[in-house]
Amino acid sequence: MRQLRTAVALLGATLCALAGAALPTTASAAGTADPTAPAPKKLFSIKDDRIKESSGLVKSAKHQDLYWTVNDSGDSGRIYGVDLTGKVKAVLRFGAKVKDVEALGIDRDGTLYVADIGDNKANRDQVEIYTIPEPETLQGDSNVKYHQYDFQYPDGAHDAETLLIEPGTSQLYIVTKALKGAGTIYAAPPAPSRQGTNDLSKLAPAPEGVITDGTFLPDGQRVILRTYTDAATVAWGDTPTAIARGPVPLGQGETVALGPTDNTVVVGSEGANSGIYQIQVPAKTTTAKTPTASATPKASTAPDSNSSDSGKSHNLRWIIIGAALFALLITVFTFPPGRRERRDRQAENARLTGQGTQTPRRRQHS
């Protein structure tokens, strides 16, 4: 009986622990986004048939309401200038034989940087970045001059889709793409040379996620890094740290660039007629607000979140019910011992001591 009670108690305790582990937590993780941020706003769609795999995007430094974009691998060396109606206003053709262009950048002087840094098989001995002066006027298709800079990693080949240009210094950084865990941030020499191959140096681990593009914000203190499903605001420094995250419209998310207004960025995706959306720069929430009874919940961007939560609640309910039943069994078998058990112990004691079994007397009422 004692062994049975012990087994039941252990099993009940286990189920109670499981129930406690399954209970949802109300604490929010550090670096979450402000839930009051406005919803993404669609600015335009890229309507040109020549742009089917937009893999880089930057806001023009010299032309209002213009964004430059570039195709992924398979295109020739050219950049497209797209206005806010989605129409191509200019095409800059440069004569380089590109392999896998994955990012665009631009500095404060209006120099465009074309980052040929994609390497899905991680077998390239070097990667290339091309610089092109942004034209003063938009003249349709035009051939332009370019400069080529070659780079190599200190620890072997890497796939990358992100080029960062620090606003104040034009310092270049490449962020590698990792399908698991985190990529790495590499820094170019402060003044890269066009003679020979420039050595990249490892700066720091990148934040978690499959990073597909990034941009410095104008203050030079923050960077936006995007993945396929979200965007992270990163405090820049010796150890870049993600301080906030926010969802972005789903799709083959490939691009991020400065937005048309302060504290906003635009994001885009691959595919024909791809949409460009304006979102708020993710900011760390400062105070949690309790939703009112009349508030309408916003749809989650995570797929199947409702069914997932329902399944968790269903499993939690049965765990709690099971724990309660076993708690009841513990009470029955353990506290206190029953009359029959006491009688059995008395009989056993009598047998061992040679005394007769005492029959309990009924209490006489006066």
Side-chain angles (χ1 to χ4, degrees), residues 19 53 67 80 94 104 106 156 173 198 208 225 268 278-279 291 339 356:
E53 293 186 76
Y67 283 86
Y80 305 86
F94 59 103
L104 280 181
I106 194 167
Y173 302 93
N198 297 275
E208 294 284 335
L225 295 177
Q278 175 181 323
I279 65 171
R339 178 178 299 175

Side-chain angles (χ1 to χ4, degrees), residues 343 346 357-362:
R343 189 181 303 161
Q346 291 173 356
T357 304
Q358 296 181 357
T359 303
R361 297 180 179 179
R362 294 181 179 271

Side-chain angles (χ1 to χ4, degrees), residues 166-210:
E166 195 166 5
T169 63
S170 296
Q171 169 70 49
L172 302 181
Y173 302 93
I174 293 175
V175 185
T176 59
K177 178 182 178 182
L179 298 180
K180 293 182 179 180
T184 303
I185 302 171
Y186 292 85
S193 172
R194 287 190 284 141
Q195 305 299 321
T197 302
N198 297 275
D199 292 325
L200 298 167
S201 58
K202 186 179 293 187
L203 177 67
E208 294 284 335
V210 182

Side-chain angles (χ1 to χ4, degrees), residues 76-145:
S76 59
R78 55 182 175 175
I79 309 172
Y80 305 86
V82 184
D83 65 14
L84 296 187
T85 69
K87 295 182 180 180
V88 171
K89 305 298 290 185
V91 179
L92 307 181
R93 299 180 181 274
F94 59 103
K97 295 182 179 180
V98 296
K99 300 179 181 68
D100 190 359
V101 176
E102 289 289 355
L104 280 181
I106 194 167
D107 62 21
R108 287 181 171 177
D109 297 328
T111 300
L112 289 162
Y113 294 72
V114 184
D116 189 355
I117 56 177
D119 191 6
N120 291 327
K121 296 182 180 180
N123 59 6
R124 294 177 63 172
D125 294 330
Q126 67 180 34
V127 294
E128 293 81 35
I129 295 178
Y130 305 96
T131 61
I132 300 169
E134 188 177 17
E136 298 292 338
T137 59
L138 304 176
Q139 301 177 349
D141 289 18
S142 59
N143 295 320
V144 296
K145 295 181 178 181

Side-chain angles (χ1 to χ4, degrees), residues 263-279:
N263 216 34
T264 65
V265 292
V266 296
V267 294
S269 61
E270 288 188 347
N273 201 37
S274 59
I276 304 297
Y277 292 83
Q278 175 181 323
I279 65 171

Side-chain angles (χ1 to χ4, degrees), residues 321-350:
I321 291 173
L325 289 175
F326 273 93
L328 179 60
L329 289 174
I330 292 171
T331 302
V332 171
F333 281 101
T334 308
F335 305 108
R339 178 178 299 175
R340 181 175 179 181
E341 187 176 355
R342 290 198 303 270
R343 189 181 303 161
D344 291 342
R345 286 206 306 270
Q346 291 173 356
E348 181 66 14
N349 290 337

